[in-house]
Amino acid sequence: MKHIFRFLVFLFLLPLTILKAEQQEQELTGIIISYDQCNEQSNPVRNAFDGNINTYFNSCPDVIGNWIGLDLGEKHIITKVAYCPRLDNDYRHRLRLGIFEGANNPDFGDAIPLFIIPGLTERELTQQVINCSRAFRYVRFVFPTPQESGKSSYMAELKFYGYKGSGDDSQLPCITNLPTISIHTVNNEDITSKEIYVKGIVSVISADGKSIYTDSLDIRGRGNNSWTHPKKPYRMKLYNKASLLGCPAKEKNWTLINNYGDKTLMRNFVGFDISKKMELPYTSVGVPVNVFLNGDFKGCYQMSDQVEVADKRVEVEKMKTTDIAEPNLSGGYLLEIDAYASGEPCWFTSNPNGMPVTIKYPKDDEIVLGQKEYIEQHFNKMVSAVNAQNYKDGTNGFRKYIDTRSFLARFLAVELIGNTDSYWSVYMYKKRNDDKFYSSPIWDMDLGFENDWRTYPINNNPNWLTMSTGSVVNGIRDMLNRMFSDEALMQEMKDIYSYYRNKNILSSESLLQVVDYYAAELEQSQQLNFTRWPIMNQKIHENPVIHGSYKAEVDNVRNYLTGRIAWMDNKLNYVRSSADLSLMQTVKVWSADGKLYIDSNNQPVLVEVFDMMGKQVVSEQVTGKRTIALNKGVYIVCTDGKKIKVAI
């Protein structure tokens, strides 16, 4: 009976024993696969897999996309990789930013990055643990883009470790703390055009490797000046609508902004936060990400909405080609007062003022003549109203055609940001059965926050940036000067500014919190980015000063914001009201990066927070400093007998 029991236990444990044996890590072997345009026979690919670190493979110089790897024959979980540079000289830097990838298609179209060599390699076989539950049949090392002309990269030894298995997607590799966007185009075709799309596959890895979204896509270049930089911006068009990285809009069109000349990599993010604080009708989403294209690390990017008419983007009524009569003919429309309008397929010049205007929606391949004529005529009515003798009239002057709340909020936001190009490009939209144009969103703030030699130093200029040294399209400065000669409009702007200053929504404290948040968020990826693009000690684009380090670049933004708040306070004759002063002497309340901040100056106070439906979401005694995470929205904060409206 005892022997039968032992036999049954053996049968029960046998599958577990076999499984454990199969999952035991071992060095993996397979068929050597490679792509190299030189196909050097003197130092062949097999040298990288011969177990001898004194031999090496010689990768072709001045070529992008060379790689070597293994076809493992069946799927394996990769647990570790090992690599060694050529040893007979100091070639360690030539493997820096090389990428390990795993795939299940032989063309590596579905590949995801497993690891990037972050810096100088050791002059020995170096091992790296891979934390990835997905199984791969094909594995490879993609040599980094050469940063020295005529110089080859060398791999003395390359090894992959793991075990057989089907795997799952419960844990995927994280290159840094930021999400990974990995794109592979058909036949590894490079993106060289802003007009012609290239087909491919995109994988978006986020949530510390716990989430992945994969889809087919078309991808092309984008931008104007930004397209001229070595680090290119891109536009992605997914095959299926998706809310990438938890963004509000579920759409196909997304952008990857390069931020090449912005050495903080955060100016747009901070600008978007200011836009949200100012409660502009629509603020584009911005998420920092790492971008890989065909196994090449392209750097740290900003993934954003495409500025377009769509749900959770610019929300105006969509039109049909049959909408050629009122009321449908009246909207919706999305326009851009655009210095580059003449290069667009559907544009006009305003009469009067001669401002170039691109019609962004309806799209150029959908708009019909009646719609184009209507919106051009309506825009001209707006400009004519500004120039009219009765332009200050509250009913029939420019206010009939311009939503002054969004117009002024935008003006204040871009002046606070100090964006040189604020009125080089201005988005405006019109709703159906509404004569007014609304100003939103703000965009392209890489030259803001003291990053343009043409306007540096901004805070030494006593005049509004927009009205003096800023870049503007033809005719718009005349329009702005005319509007701001209306004393009532100037008072409205002062009132708006005072509201956000009084509530500490706009303050040096709240803005510096945002800067510090992004500095910490970007720290790992900025190191890789400026290894890929070693420009920190160069003047790039319109940089006025070389600050010499990432920290110094961030400090420049911090110092600018502190000074700019003081400048705007003085410019707008801002004085905090006595009621707000009495409150702030006791407790400070402000919002930043999706959180509510309380500082009671070490006095115990009851803090109650209500949403706009009147539901209480927080009630607690606070002594000192407290940070409270809240969902996006507007809240009423009650403390010390006062009420404050806060936008998160």
Side-chain angles (χ1 to χ4, degrees), residues 10-215:
F10 171 76
L11 290 177
F12 175 77
L13 294 177
L14 181 59
L16 298 178
T17 304
I18 295 173
L19 179 62
K20 185 175 181 180
E22 288 180 345
Q23 292 184 345
Q24 186 174 355
E25 179 185 276
Q26 58 185 326
E27 182 180 342
L28 303 178
T29 59
I31 299 172
I32 296 174
I33 53 178
S34 66
Y35 171 79
D36 188 86
Q37 294 188 33
C38 290
N39 196 23
E40 299 259 357
Q41 295 301 316
S42 57
N43 299 293
V45 177
R46 64 176 178 272
N47 286 357
F49 297 95
D50 63 1
N52 182 358
I53 62 174
N54 294 307
T55 62
Y56 57 84
F57 166 66
N58 190 126
S59 178
C60 186
D62 299 324
V63 173
I64 298 175
N66 291 332
W67 57 269
I68 58 177
L70 295 174
D71 174 358
L72 303 174
E74 54 188 312
K75 288 185 176 183
H76 287 72
I77 309 293
I78 307 302
T79 57
K80 190 166 60 182
V81 297
Y83 52 94
C84 182
R86 179 178 171 180
L87 298 181
D88 59 351
N89 208 326
D90 194 359
Y91 297 104
R92 296 176 300 155
H93 61 287
R94 299 191 191 174
L95 293 183
R96 184 169 48 197
L97 300 187
I99 308 293
F100 291 85
E101 287 190 318
N104 287 302
N105 293 337
D107 64 355
F108 283 85
D110 64 337
I112 62 171
L114 303 175
F115 175 66
I116 184 171
I117 298 177
L120 293 179
T121 58
E122 299 295 331
R123 297 185 66 183
E124 60 186 23
L125 190 66
T126 300
Q127 294 187 346
Q128 173 65 40
V129 173
I130 304 298
N131 186 20
C132 181
S133 62
R134 179 180 283 194
F136 305 102
R137 173 175 172 174
Y138 305 96
V139 289
R140 70 177 180 181
F141 175 78
V142 184
F143 286 91
T145 298
Q147 300 213 358
E148 298 176 89
S149 179
K151 302 295 185 181
S152 295
S153 294
Y154 303 94
M155 179 66 77
E157 200 64 26
L158 181 63
K159 296 179 182 294
F160 296 89
Y161 299 85
Y163 55 87
K164 293 180 183 178
S166 56
D168 57 42
D169 285 347
S170 60
Q171 181 62 60
L172 298 165
C174 299
I175 302 303
T176 72
N177 58 301
L178 298 186
T180 294
I181 295 184
S182 178
I183 299 166
H184 288 83
T185 60
V186 175
N187 298 322
N188 290 324
E189 186 175 352
D190 197 12
I191 314 300
T192 58
S193 170
K194 294 195 301 177
E195 289 77 36
I196 301 172
Y197 280 101
V198 174
K199 295 187 180 301
I201 296 174
V202 61
S203 295
V204 182
I205 301 171
S206 60
D208 296 324
K210 300 294 193 298
S211 174
I212 183 168
Y213 176 82
T214 300
D215 195 5

Side-chain angles (χ1 to χ4, degrees), residues 350-527:
S350 73
N351 182 23
N353 281 40
M355 289 184 289
V357 182
T358 300
I359 301 175
K360 308 296 286 189
Y361 182 84
K363 298 177 181 178
D364 55 84
D365 59 347
E366 298 175 353
I367 193 169
V368 296
L369 181 60
Q371 294 167 351
K372 183 178 185 299
E373 290 177 343
Y374 171 88
I375 195 58
E376 182 175 350
Q377 292 169 6
H378 197 80
F379 190 88
N380 288 337
K381 288 180 182 178
M382 175 192 73
V383 183
S384 296
V386 174
N387 293 336
Q389 188 173 357
N390 68 337
Y391 72 104
K392 297 181 182 181
D393 187 282
T395 303
N396 296 310
F398 64 77
R399 288 173 176 79
K400 180 177 180 180
Y401 297 103
I402 295 176
D403 173 63
T404 56
R405 173 63 182 77
S406 61
F407 169 84
L408 291 170
R410 183 191 186 279
F411 182 87
L412 288 168
V414 298
E415 282 289 340
L416 176 56
I417 293 164
N419 185 15
T420 305
D421 284 349
S422 297
Y423 284 87
W424 191 252
S425 166
V426 181
Y427 284 103
M428 305 180 80
Y429 63 84
K430 181 189 177 301
K431 303 174 184 178
R432 182 169 294 165
N433 298 327
D434 184 344
D435 281 342
K436 293 184 179 182
F437 285 98
Y438 295 80
S439 301
S440 188
I442 59 173
W443 186 257
D444 199 13
M445 292 159 281
D446 59 318
L447 295 181
F449 305 97
E450 209 70 285
N451 195 33
D452 192 334
W453 65 269
R454 298 168 297 180
T455 56
Y456 177 87
I458 295 172
N459 292 334
N460 284 0
N461 183 351
N463 301 310
W464 293 114
L465 180 65
T466 302
M467 313 300 280
S468 54
T469 55
S471 302
V472 298
V473 299
N474 182 61
I476 202 167
R477 190 166 281 153
D478 292 337
M479 177 177 166
L480 294 172
N481 276 315
R482 177 77 167 170
M483 292 177 65
F484 283 125
S485 67
D486 179 3
E487 300 82 1
L489 187 70
M490 285 298 300
Q491 186 58 53
E492 185 180 353
M493 180 162 69
K494 290 179 180 180
D495 291 343
I496 291 172
Y497 182 73
S498 294
Y499 172 82
Y500 290 106
R501 286 291 284 121
N502 288 342
K503 307 307 181 187
N504 257 22
I505 293 170
L506 290 184
S507 68
S508 57
E509 296 92 346
S510 66
L511 295 176
L512 295 185
Q513 287 271 359
V514 178
V515 173
D516 292 345
Y517 168 82
Y518 280 111
E521 187 80 354
L522 292 163
E523 176 59 27
Q524 295 179 37
S525 291
Q526 67 85 11
Q527 295 180 39

Side-chain angles (χ1 to χ4, degrees), residues 248 268-286 305 307 312-314 440-443 445 632:
N268 278 322
F269 300 126
V270 179
F272 289 160
D273 185 85
I274 290 172
S275 173
K276 286 185 282 189
K277 282 178 164 56
M278 297 293 294
E279 298 178 285
L280 279 163
Y282 161 58
T283 299
S284 298
V285 171
D305 292 337
V307 178
K312 305 295 177 62
R313 289 183 177 171
V314 179
S440 188
I442 59 173
W443 186 257
M445 292 159 281
K632 182 179 178 181

